[in-house]
Amino acid sequence: MTLSIAVTSGKGGVGKTNTAVNLAVSLGQTGKNILLFDADFGLANVHVLLGTKPSKSVADFLDSKCSMEESITKFRDGVSIISGGSGLTELLNLDNRCRHQILSGISNLDRDIDYLIVDCPAGAADSTLFFASASNLVVVVLIEEPTSFLDAYALIKASNLETGVKNFAVIVNMAETKNMAKRSFEKFRDIAMRFLDINLHYAGMIPQSKDIKHAVAQRTPVTISRPDSMASTAFRDVSRNLMTVTIPKTNTLKFFDHMGEE
Ligand SMILES: Nc1ncnc2c1ncn2[C@@H]1O[C@H](COP(=O)(O)OP(=O)(O)OP(=O)(O)O)[C@@H](O)[C@H]1O
Ligand SMILES: [Mg+2]
């Protein structure tokens, strides 16, 4: 069985891609098979943070130039990626038919995948709402700033009201201390749950880290370049926490649910 996880945020630039990449690597290091899908079409940068140059992307799949399997690039330690392509302005406004084609293409892959991790665009873009609703778990990355809280709340509200997503896991990124991060989460949860019928799980925090900055500049995930750093330990903790979240079944169409159907 594959668990699908959408990594989202309200505000842009809060560390989604870096989180998606390092969660994938952390899980890969435990012997799991991960497919990391870059759904930030046109602005894709998963491959940049991994320091790879995929020869194919999801754009080639949508243009019928290759199969979904052929669009996959192997990275390492059980991690493979589907690149979102870059500079493809036509992909920024992917229509619903294309989104369904991608959902079906990934769902019909004939390979062992323990975790599908989807790096989504910032905010409540249509693609984000679509891939979040198709995932078993929606992770919301936020930082301890009012704008990030407000935008995360807007994304959760849109996801909940428009596509019925109820379960969200929150990661507090660029945090100063564990205690402060937890308190920020609790503050956010108290407000969000007062107005919305949702469940918010705390997946943990990633510290503000020079090692991460350095790793991004070096185009090597920190969990590979500095596996003993505080940041890497935090990514391992968060990935463990995410695995323990219990996810009730819902009726919405999910990745890997409808094998063989378009
Ligand atoms: N915990 C952290 N500590 C220090 N720097 C960080 C941390 N997390 C992310 N960053 C920095 O923040 C920048 C933005 O990160 P990232 O690209 O992952 O954000 P994003 O949410 O995916 O952005 P976008 O909304 O544009 O897709 C990166 O260049 C990285 O250097
Ligand atoms: Mg990103």
Side-chain angles (χ1 to χ4, degrees):
M1 200 203 123
T2 308
L3 187 81
S4 46
I5 302 171
V7 180
T8 70
S9 72
K11 192 173 145 75
V14 297
K16 282 177 302 301
T17 303
N18 188 60
T19 299
V21 160
N22 282 291
L23 288 179
V25 170
S26 300
L27 289 165
Q29 286 168 340
T30 68
K32 301 289 185 195
N33 290 314
I34 321 300
L35 183 60
L36 178 55
F37 168 42
D38 193 338
D40 203 353
F41 311 111
L43 300 170
N45 46 24
V46 162
H47 64 282
V48 178
L49 294 194
L50 291 177
T52 57
K53 260 208 185 120
S55 59
K56 295 264 187 315
S57 76
V58 74
D60 297 301
F61 166 75
L62 290 171
D63 285 348
S64 306
K65 289 188 187 146
C66 69
S67 65
M68 186 58 92
E69 179 62 38
E70 287 162 349
S71 77
I72 296 176
T73 305
K74 190 172 173 352
F75 178 58
R76 55 178 278 177
D77 289 339
V79 179
S80 293
I81 67 168
I82 300 175
S83 168
S86 49
L88 300 156
T89 42
E90 70 277 13
L91 274 182
L92 290 170
N93 294 313
L94 210 65
D95 64 24
N96 220 28
R97 192 180 55 84
C98 291
R99 293 186 197 111
H100 277 280
Q101 247 177 298
I102 293 171
L103 178 70
S104 160
I106 291 180
S107 299
N108 286 310
L109 285 169
D110 186 17
R111 52 159 64 210
D112 281 340
I113 306 167
D114 296 303
Y115 297 102
L116 170 71
I117 299 180
V118 185
D119 181 30
C120 294
D126 289 345
S127 283
T128 299
L129 296 184
F130 179 86
F131 291 118
S133 111
S135 298
N136 300 119
L137 184 61
V138 178
V139 167
V140 181
V141 179
L142 51 83
I143 58 173
E144 297 169 286
E145 284 177 10
T147 46
S148 169
F149 274 37
L150 284 170
D151 294 355
Y153 178 79
L155 165 78
I156 289 173
K157 185 175 172 186
S159 231
N160 178 245
L161 299 183
E162 288 182 33
T163 62
V165 177
K166 275 194 84 151
N167 285 280
F168 300 86
V170 172
I171 297 174
V172 179
N173 189 28
M174 305 188 199
E176 270 184 51
T177 68
K178 279 191 178 181
N179 284 344
M180 281 170 73
K182 185 83 195 292
R183 272 204 302 277
S184 294
F185 164 74
E186 285 165 356
K187 207 158 78 185
F188 180 73
R189 181 192 57 195
D190 290 349
I191 296 168
M193 288 182 67
R194 197 180 316 152
F195 298 108
L196 299 171
D197 180 22
I198 53 165
N199 300 314
L200 280 188
H201 309 272
Y202 184 51
M205 58 77 90
I206 307 297
Q208 172 71 41
S209 157
K210 283 204 182 79
D211 292 323
I212 290 180
K213 282 251 170 260
H214 187 69
V216 169
Q218 299 295 312
R219 299 181 61 186
T220 305
V222 72
T223 39
I224 292 175
S225 61
R226 296 288 314 274
D228 299 327
S229 61
M230 271 173 68
S232 298
T233 306
F235 279 118
R236 285 191 291 273
D237 289 348
V238 167
S239 61
R240 265 195 300 272
N241 291 342
L242 288 176
M243 297 320 110
T244 63
V245 175
T246 42
I247 304 144
K249 261 201 128 1
T250 62
N251 293 327
T252 48
L253 180 61
K254 300 278 187 224
F255 281 106
F256 306 104
D257 262 359
H258 292 251
M259 305 291 281
E261 287 181 26
E262 276 292 311

